[in-house]
């Protein structure tokens, strides 16, 4: 057992559901007790989804505990098949169902006989993998299922497209700024004259998955999800993949050069040369290179920062801060413990120390010890920052609704570099302000004297009403006190009782 | 009585495929209510993830709750449950020093049959802190029923009322005087006497149900106006102040989801239950007070006028909702009382979805609903237990209600389809009890309608792709 207040990555089934509900016309059925369908709330609230989240639960209750699910799961699958006619139904185990050890595969086999939809069982172990690992696995599982199906049916066409083309793998629902990143990647590939073959799982149809091998290569923008799929496709179809995250000017260039290499392997005559494009974008389209040269950024030199997040974002931001902006990264870390080797290798030489943990109190202690000028982390670090009075830019999941902005805010690509520069710059106390604060010792040198608008002479609060007043939360207490006294004066009451307090509330709200 | 009801009210039961919060969410409001408590949820990452996301910012305010996260070793019994819980509870004792630790059992502890009830007394002895066990799991309960399981468990911990009588002298010296400790000693005595005098007017009355302390004192005050003295609340502000219970004690619920607590109070603590409608809405509040007074043989004074006054204050909101229709999808068991109030406000209720309906505990409320429908001459709504959200959405498509009261999972998709929604969860967290807060209920109900009055003519109410 572990005493825990907060976790960075969710349970495995969340990952499976995120992948399943990102595809078009795929329905997930959770084998779960009442209340475990909280995923629907998150998707509906955080992503502000207009459509009903295609996830339902086959409820595990007392009866199931006593007699097993029996027909229930199969019935629920066939019912959903009739109601929504999905292409695929993913039966999703949860932590509860995995202890029950029912033969879910058997239910899947039985249900697939009677339903028109394909039915698969998500193959994840709840006690061994987290949300991100589960998402990676589920995505690979779905792709494998459809490619093998196509191969069996002989519909698999392995010829590649005429023009250079790419699959983007790993954009999905509830991902940190994924929608914006997707738009930015589309633009980047378009600029490079590369067609987009398929984007999975977001908005993709499982029927089209057999066309995946038509692309020249796969682009996996995020470390956490998509890599397993890309490796599967490389092994079985010889498709190369690019897994350098195009975040920050240096890495975008590196990513584009890799793409160039793969594309040029397949063209015979006229080779592509992206170097002029990289140069043009770096120097004039993206403002980030110029920003790091400008005197604004000079003021950031040597300032201490701490970075924490998922492996992709924490590594990229660390490199951007250290390599592109001259900021001193005192500590960088990730909660992706399963990927710690890769992470360490990435940030080697760009930071003073590395912290691999999923315990937020350790992160908090580290920040308190280092006392950086700014933090770049998740929502948790933002709150740690609030407590320690250190500004924080949010760069990674887990996130709140404010991290699903309506405006265009990619982290990837050249527009992403601008966004990141803004985020970094705004997180540090602005340079000039910083100096002035230091010289004059703060904005407000005079102590603010708050005087209550009412005088205390003519009104008395009896002891019960005083008790009552003290029960009211501090931030509204003053207002309630003023309103009550106003009401008392209007009614020529001098002794304020609890009755008067509530009469005041009723009168005021009327 | 229940037979008579079923003649006219129709109850249906569907598949139970509906969305609601897990009952462990009750820790969110209970840890705030019971100031010296610590809630330990014994469960998995799934439970933790739910709490973390559902409670949002509260997580960051150093809450007095935590997960005892079960790992693979716990599930396969490679680790000793008792030793593990002892280790965690010792740490909690060291860090927070609470007056009580409440273990919340979850689905997982049910399935692996972890004997929390058996371990608690042993550990309680070793630790010197009371440990209360509540099984608030999704296998058996929905959302607010979590509070029911906690309060039912706590009812066992309330002191025996006989003891109170014997120790009256001591109590006079200590606990009651403690309340008035800031007064001079003369005044103190006067107060104490007055307090005890009031106490004699009616047999001890304990109200059960967790309410914000201001709402609790508003309700106590309403009763005091009818010279009914409330002797205690379950739960109280502090665990150490739990009310005394016994066969002389009358109890009355303030929330419709407390049927287990009511049963425990009656059967195990021999209390007398006053079955009344719940004090939600001015009509409900009046009926609730009247019922309590009638049990004590007290004639109410000025109650009618007070109700009238409150209705008058609500006029602007009533004009807004009169004749409009509502559909309750059902997820927090407040539905019957809210529907009854809204019908009295002049709304038409198409359907009352509800996770679970205890027809005995809610008998008075159901009867009141029936009467209200008759008085307002509107058809009786269908009551659907364990609803099926999919079917409900099909029904809603046909009925096109003016307002759907629904969980957050369906709110945005319904809004996109042009159906106004109000999150049902807000009724759980807002102050909705008593005369004083009637306006707050309507504030919630009318919000989507008022919002849409502003947006009505812009022509983009349906925002889905065909």
């Amino acid at each position: 057992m572990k005493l825990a207040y907060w976790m960075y990555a969710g349970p495995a089934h969340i990952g499976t559901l995120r992948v399943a509900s990102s595809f078009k016309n795929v329905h997930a059925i959770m084998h779960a007790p009442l209340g475990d369908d909280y995923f629907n709330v998150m998707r509906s609230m955080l992503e502000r989804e207009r459509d009903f989240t295609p996830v339902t639960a086959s409820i595990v209750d007392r009866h199931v505990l006593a007699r097993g699910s029996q027909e229930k799961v199969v019935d629920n699958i066939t019912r959903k098949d009739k109601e929504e006619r999905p292409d695929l139904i993913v039966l999703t185990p949860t932590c509860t169902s995995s202890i029950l050890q029912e033969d879910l595969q058997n239910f899947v086999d039985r249900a697939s006989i009677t339903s028109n939809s394909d039915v698969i069982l998500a193959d994840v172990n709840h006690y061994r993998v987290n949300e991100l690992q589960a998402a990676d696995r589920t995505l690979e599982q779905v792709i494998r299922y459809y490619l093998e199906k196509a191969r069996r049916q002989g519909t698999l066409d392995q010829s590649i497209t005429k023009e250079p083309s790419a699959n983007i793998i790993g954009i999905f629902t509830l991902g940190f700024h994924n929608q914006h990143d997707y738009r930015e990647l589309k633009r980047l590939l378009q600029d490079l004259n590369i067609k987009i073959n398929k984007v999975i799982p977001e908005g993709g149809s499982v029927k089209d998955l057999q066309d995946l091998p038509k692309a020249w290569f796969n682009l996996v923008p995020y470390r956490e999800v998509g890599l397993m799929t890309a490796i599967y496709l490389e092994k079985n179809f010889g498709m190369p993949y690019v897994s350098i995250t195009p975040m920050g000017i240096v890495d975008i260039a590196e990513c584009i050069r890799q793409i160039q290499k793969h594309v040029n392997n397949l063209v015979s005559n006229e080779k592509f040369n992206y170097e002029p494009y990289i140069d043009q974008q770096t120097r004039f389209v993206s403002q980030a290179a110029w920003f790091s040269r400008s005197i604004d950024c000079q003021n950031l030199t040597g300032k201490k920062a701490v970075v924490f997040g998922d492996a992709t974002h924490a590594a990229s931001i660390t490199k951007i801060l250290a390599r592109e902006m001259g900021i001193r990264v005192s500590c960088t870390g990730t909660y992706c413990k399963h990927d710690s080797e890769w992470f360490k290798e990435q940030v080697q030489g760009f930071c003073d120390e590395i912290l691999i943990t999923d315990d937020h109190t350790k992160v908090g202690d580290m920040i308190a010890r280092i006392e950086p000028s700014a933090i770049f982390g998740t929502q948790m670090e933002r709150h740690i920052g609030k407590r320690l009075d250190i500004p924080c830019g949010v760069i990674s999941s887990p996130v709140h609704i404010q991290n699903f902005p309506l405006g265009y805010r990619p982290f990837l690509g050249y527009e992403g570099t601008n966004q990141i520069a803004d985020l970094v710059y705004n997180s540090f106390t602005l340079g000039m302000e910083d100096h002035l604060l230091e010289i004059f010792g703060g904005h407000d040198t005079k102590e603010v004297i708050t005087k209550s608008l009412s005088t205390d002479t003519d009104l008395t609060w009896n002891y019960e009403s005083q008790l009552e007043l003290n029960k009211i939360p501090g931030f509204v207490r003053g207002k309630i006190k003023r309103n009550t006294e106003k009401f008392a004066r209007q009614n020529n009451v001098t002794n304020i009782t609890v009755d008067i307090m509530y009469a005041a509330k009723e009168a005021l709200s009327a | 009585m229940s037979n008579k009801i079923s003649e006219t009210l129709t109850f249906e039961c569907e598949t139970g495929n509906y969305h609601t919060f897990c009952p462990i969410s009750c820790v969110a409001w209970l840890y705030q209510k019971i100031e010296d408590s610590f809630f330990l949820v014994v469960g998995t990452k799934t439970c933790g993830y739910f709490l973390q996301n559902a409670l949002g910012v509260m997580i960051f305010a150093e809450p007095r709750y935590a997960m005892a996260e079960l790992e693979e070793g716990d599930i396969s019994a490679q680790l000793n449950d008792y030793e593990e819980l002892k280790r965690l509870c010792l740490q909690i004792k060291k860090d927070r020093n609470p007056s009580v630790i409440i273990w919340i059992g979850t689905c997982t502890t049910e399935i692996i049959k972890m004997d929390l009830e058996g371990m608690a007394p042993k550990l309680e002895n070793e630790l010197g802190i009371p440990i209360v066990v509540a099984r608030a799991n999704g296998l058996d309960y929905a959302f607010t029923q979590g509070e029911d399981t906690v309060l039912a468990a706590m009812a066992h911990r309330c002191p025996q009322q006989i003891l109170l009588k014997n120790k009256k002298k001591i109590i006079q010296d200590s606990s009651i005087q403690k309340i008035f400790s800031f007064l001079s000693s003369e005044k103190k005595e006067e107060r104490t006497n007055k307090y005890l005098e009031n106490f004699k007017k009616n047999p001890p009355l304990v109200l059960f149900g967790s309410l914000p302390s201001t709402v609790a004192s508003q309700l106590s005050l309403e009763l005091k106006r009818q010279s009914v003295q409330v002797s205690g609340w379950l739960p109280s502000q502090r665990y150490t102040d739990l009310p005394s219970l016994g066969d002389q004690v009358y109890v009355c619920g303030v929330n419709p989801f407390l049927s287990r607590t009511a049963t425990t109070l009656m059967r195990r603590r021999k209390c007398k239950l006053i079955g009344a409608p719940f004090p939600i809405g001015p009509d409900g509040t009046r009926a609730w007070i009247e019922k309590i007074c009638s049990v004590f043989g007290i004639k109410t004074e000025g109650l009618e006028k007070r109700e009238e006054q409150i209705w008058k204050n609500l006029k602007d909101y009533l004009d807004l909702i009169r004749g409009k229709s509502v559909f309750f999808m059902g997820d927090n068991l407040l539905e019957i009382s809210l529907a009854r109030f809204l019908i009295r406000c002049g709304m038409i209720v198409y359907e009352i979805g509800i996770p679970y309906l205890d027809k005995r505990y809610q008998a008075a409320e159901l009867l009141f609903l029936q009467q209200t429908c008759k008085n307002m001459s509107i058809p009786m709504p269908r009551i659907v237990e364990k609803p099926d959200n999919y079917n409900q959405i099909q029904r809603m498509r046909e009925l096109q209600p003016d307002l759907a009261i629904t969980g957050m999972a369906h709110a945005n998709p319904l809004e996109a389809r042009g159906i106004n929604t109000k999150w049902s969860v807000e009724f759980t967290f807002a102050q909705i009890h008593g005369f004083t807060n009637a306006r707050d209920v309507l504030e919630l109900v009318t919000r989507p309608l008022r919002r849409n009055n502003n947006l009505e003519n812009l022509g983009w109410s349906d925002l889905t792709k065909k």
Side-chain angles (χ1 to χ4, degrees), chain A residues 319-359:
Chain A
K319 285 187 275 180
I320 292 170
L321 291 177
R323 187 163 59 185
E324 298 177 18
M325 291 180 173
I327 292 162
R328 174 157 183 193
V329 180
S330 302
C331 181
T332 185
T334 181
Y335 55 84
C336 296
K337 283 156 94 174
H338 60 277
D339 210 12
S340 60
E341 287 313 310
W342 176 85
F343 183 78
K344 284 179 191 158
E345 189 193 303
Q346 287 295 304
V347 298
Q348 204 67 59
F350 295 113
C351 61
D352 299 345
E353 51 179 311
I354 297 170
L355 179 68
I356 310 283
T357 182
D358 55 5
D359 179 352

Side-chain angles (χ1 to χ4, degrees), chain B residues 436-453:
Chain B
T436 318
N437 298 309
R439 205 177 163 77
D440 295 35
V441 182
L442 293 191
E443 164 71 28
L444 289 178
V445 171
T446 56
R447 196 174 294 157
L449 303 170
R450 281 179 287 134
R451 193 264 321 260
N452 290 350
N453 282 350

Side-chain angles (χ1 to χ4, degrees), chain A residues 136-150:
Chain A
D136 203 10
R137 268 161 208 266
T138 305
L139 184 58
E140 194 247 15
Q141 194 189 349
V142 171
I143 274 109
R144 183 193 293 266
Y145 178 86
Y146 278 99
L147 286 175
E148 279 171 12
K149 189 179 168 192

Side-chain angles (χ1 to χ4, degrees), chain B residues 422-434:
Chain B
K422 186 76 225 136
W423 300 339
S424 49
V425 200
E426 286 191 78
F427 293 100
T428 327
F429 294 116
Q431 309 193 343
I432 60 169
H433 293 76

